[in-house]
Amino acid sequence: MNEIERQKKGIGLIPLAAMVIGSAIGGGVFGIMTDISGSAGGAALFSWLLVGSAMLMLSLSINNLNKKRPDLEGGIFSYAEAGFGRFAGFISGWGYWLTCWLGNVAFATLLMSALGYFFPVFAGGQNIPSVIMSTLLLWGYAWLVNRGVENASIVNAIVTICKLVPLFLFIVVAISTFSIQQFIANFSSDIILTANGQVVPFSSQILSCIMVMLWVFVGIEGASVVGSRAKKKSDVGKATILGILGLILIYVLVSMLPYGTMPMKELQSIQTQPAMGYVFEKMVGKWGAVVINGGLIISLFGVWLSWTILPVETMRNMAQDGLLPKSWSKVNAQGAPTFAIILTTLCTNVFLLSLLFTDSAYNFAYTLGTAAIFFTWLFLGLYQMKLSYQRREWGQFLIGLLASAFQVWAMFVVAFNEVMLVLVLFLPGIYFYLQARKEQEQPVDHVKIDRFLLILVTLVGVVALILFGTGKLHV
């Protein structure tokens, strides 16, 4: 195809930016306004500035690596492997796999809670009927994917409409009812108090926002794959930046406008997910909750299919690359990797049972999923630094440095316990990684960085397991 034909058939700048936005927006945005209501408006705005800047640096790194290393087609983990060896590739891929199926646990909780608005038997989304229905849906999706059913464009179109229309309707109504006086009253950090009446420190309010804000950005790492379909290569970088800025704008509006529509205590009193439906109901009446919950239900049914395919494909790519046993990549007559589908579905099903034992199943699933993707994002930022250093591209090096520094800060300061639990979940994966290396007669001890990372992650994982087992750590 010549340049003229490619430009005629390719995707333009605005549609590319829309694809970036559509690929990242999931169910988390529908609950974000109450998830951050433990912080005053000022702390929440500062948190968005911090997280938004970090995600912009990460997206610029993804875009740069996509252009500089188009030969790396093994998935998001291929950047870690190219920069830091086979075991780094495994850590990045296993972390991404964990994120994907833990995301399905969060989706299941949110879906059942939304259904609970219409069918009280599912009220709250964390009871026995919810677990039974979630399990049936989970294995139903596994059956569909195993038969070779893929996420067709028509499904994507329906899902996107059902996600964006309620969001924009909420934003328009919230703007029309926005009170600057109410927003100012909710802005000061002094209004956030502990149970004994003490003011919660500004820094603590920020930390309470970070994880939920990061969760709604999970998905931007897949946006760069549309680059090859652009009318002009130069549009890819522009679309990535426009898309991220668009996401930040949507997220900030959805989460911050309620601060100007109701008192903080009223906002904090909404504990049922999806919170947006209940906030909107207070604004416009019962029809608001019907619209939000109905759109979200349809959206989640489609998103769940995509996120069933995503971890399965990640596991298959890792097996094909020799990071997991080769047999895990075997496909059936329909071209679907049956073993990967069953194993991933079983893991998801086990975690679904946590809905019965905790009042915060949704928060637990998304915080753990976000902690898992920190490893993937960190290696991506580090490889951006390494490649830019080799090419003496100091502007790009700085971008990678900022992206990596934020991930390290988040891992140690924001979500240390969650990261330690993820390291425990790496332990069974390490066993299968070693089996794969043995299968290929490629021992890990011939590469120093592989040996170092393997020993480090294993030791920290074992220590974390002991600390959790003895009650010294808890999530």
Side-chain angles (χ1 to χ4, degrees):
M1 181 185 296
N2 59 39
E3 182 66 17
I4 295 177
E5 290 176 326
R6 191 173 71 84
Q7 291 194 17
K8 184 177 180 180
K9 294 183 179 181
I11 303 172
L13 176 61
I14 299 303
L16 273 175
M19 290 179 74
V20 174
I21 293 173
S23 68
I25 290 181
V29 67
F30 289 86
I32 196 170
M33 63 284 300
T34 55
D35 283 335
I36 68 170
S37 63
S39 301
L45 273 177
F46 183 85
S47 300
W48 275 121
L49 176 64
L50 181 64
V51 172
S53 299
M55 291 300 100
L56 182 59
M57 296 300 103
L58 188 69
S59 65
L60 290 173
S61 298
I62 294 171
N63 181 63
N64 180 58
L65 294 175
N66 189 52
K67 289 191 298 184
K68 300 291 175 56
R69 292 298 308 270
D71 55 307
L72 299 178
E73 299 178 347
I76 194 72
F77 62 86
S78 60
Y79 297 127
E81 184 176 349
F84 306 99
R86 303 283 286 172
F87 188 73
F90 162 77
I91 289 296
S92 178
W94 192 263
Y96 192 63
W97 175 73
L98 289 172
T99 296
C100 292
W101 64 259
L102 283 167
N104 278 337
V105 177
F107 290 149
T109 314
L110 198 58
L111 176 58
M112 291 303 106
S113 187
L115 283 171
Y117 186 84
F118 301 100
F119 307 101
V121 68
F122 301 118
Q126 296 184 208
N127 52 22
I128 291 176
S130 297
V131 171
I132 293 173
M133 178 59 73
S134 297
T135 299
L136 292 174
L137 288 171
L138 177 67
W139 286 99
Y141 280 117
W143 178 78
L144 285 173
V145 174
N146 194 53
R147 290 178 59 84
V149 176
E150 296 183 354
N151 198 1
S153 58
I154 184 65
V155 175
N156 272 328
I158 295 172
V159 168
T160 301
I161 291 171
C162 291
K163 283 191 295 188
L164 296 183
V165 170
L167 286 179
F168 286 121
L169 180 62
F170 177 85
I171 290 171
V172 170
V173 173
I175 290 175
S176 68
T177 60
F178 186 84
S179 166
I180 189 64
Q181 290 80 13
Q182 183 66 72
F183 184 80
I184 292 173
N186 290 336
F187 192 83
S188 172
S189 291
D190 294 342
I191 67 172
I192 305 298
L193 305 176
T194 63
N196 59 8
Q198 299 296 312
V199 174
V200 178
F202 183 75
S203 58
S204 297
Q205 294 184 38
I206 291 173
L207 294 180
S208 70
C209 291
I210 298 298
M211 287 298 278
V212 64
M213 290 180 176
L214 286 170
W215 168 243
V216 296
F217 282 102
V218 173
I220 63 168
E221 66 284 337
S224 63
V225 300
V226 301
S228 61
R229 296 160 59 190
K231 282 186 178 181
K232 295 187 294 183
K233 271 290 184 182
S234 59
D235 281 348
V236 177
K238 297 175 185 176
T240 302
I241 296 172
L242 285 176
I244 292 298
L245 293 177
L247 282 170
I248 294 172
L249 177 62
I250 292 171
Y251 292 156
V252 169
L253 287 174
V254 166
S255 61
M256 298 305 301
L257 284 173
Y259 282 84
T261 61
M262 62 182 66
M264 180 62 74
K265 287 186 178 179
E266 188 175 353
L267 184 61
Q268 291 177 325
S269 69
I270 301 173
Q271 298 296 320
T272 307
Q273 294 290 0
M276 182 184 289
Y278 296 92
V279 172
F280 203 40
E281 184 175 31
K282 289 180 178 291
M283 291 182 185
V284 301
K286 190 174 181 65
W287 71 266
V290 172
V291 170
I292 298 296
N293 286 305
L296 178 59
I297 288 169
I298 298 172
S299 172
L300 285 174
F301 272 115
V303 170
W304 200 342
L305 175 60
S306 299
W307 280 60
T308 299
I309 296 171
L310 205 55
V312 169
E313 285 302 305
T314 300
M315 181 174 282
R316 179 185 178 183
N317 287 338
M318 291 177 68
Q320 289 178 334
D321 195 42
L323 300 178
L324 290 172
K326 207 71 174 178
S327 59
W328 292 23
S329 65
K330 289 183 179 179
V331 298
N332 59 22
Q334 286 75 36
T338 300
F339 181 84
I341 293 170
I342 293 175
L343 180 59
T344 301
T345 306
L346 279 173
C347 292
T348 312
N349 210 164
V350 169
F351 265 72
L352 271 177
L353 297 177
S354 68
L355 302 181
L356 299 175
F357 304 107
T358 174
D359 294 329
S360 306
Y362 173 70
N363 299 71
F364 175 69
Y366 81 66
T367 52
L368 198 58
T370 305
I373 207 170
F374 284 160
F375 293 89
T376 306
W377 285 349
L378 175 59
F379 275 118
L380 196 150
L382 291 174
Y383 185 53
Q384 163 82 353
M385 291 174 60
K386 180 177 180 178
L387 188 66
S388 301
Y389 176 80
Q390 292 171 341
R391 293 169 175 255
R392 299 298 188 267
E393 297 173 349
W394 303 117
Q396 293 291 345
F397 179 86
L398 178 60
I399 289 172
L401 177 62
L402 293 173
S404 303
F406 178 84
Q407 302 307 319
V408 173
W409 174 77
M411 293 171 81
F412 281 93
V413 178
V414 181
F416 179 77
N417 285 12
E418 288 83 357
V419 167
M420 293 295 280
L421 183 54
V422 169
L423 285 166
V424 173
L425 297 178
F426 275 130
L427 294 177
I430 291 173
Y431 169 79
F432 293 117
Y433 169 78
L434 293 174
Q435 289 294 108
R437 307 308 292 153
K438 182 179 179 181
E439 180 180 276
Q440 299 174 58
E441 298 181 350
Q442 294 180 351
V444 296
D445 58 3
H446 72 292
V447 181
K448 288 184 179 180
I449 192 168
D450 275 5
R451 184 169 66 250
F452 170 75
L453 288 175
L454 174 63
I455 294 173
L456 176 64
V457 173
T458 303
L459 285 177
V460 176
V462 170
V463 170
L465 181 61
I466 295 172
L467 292 175
F468 281 110
T470 56
K472 300 291 180 60
L473 288 179
H474 62 275
V475 178

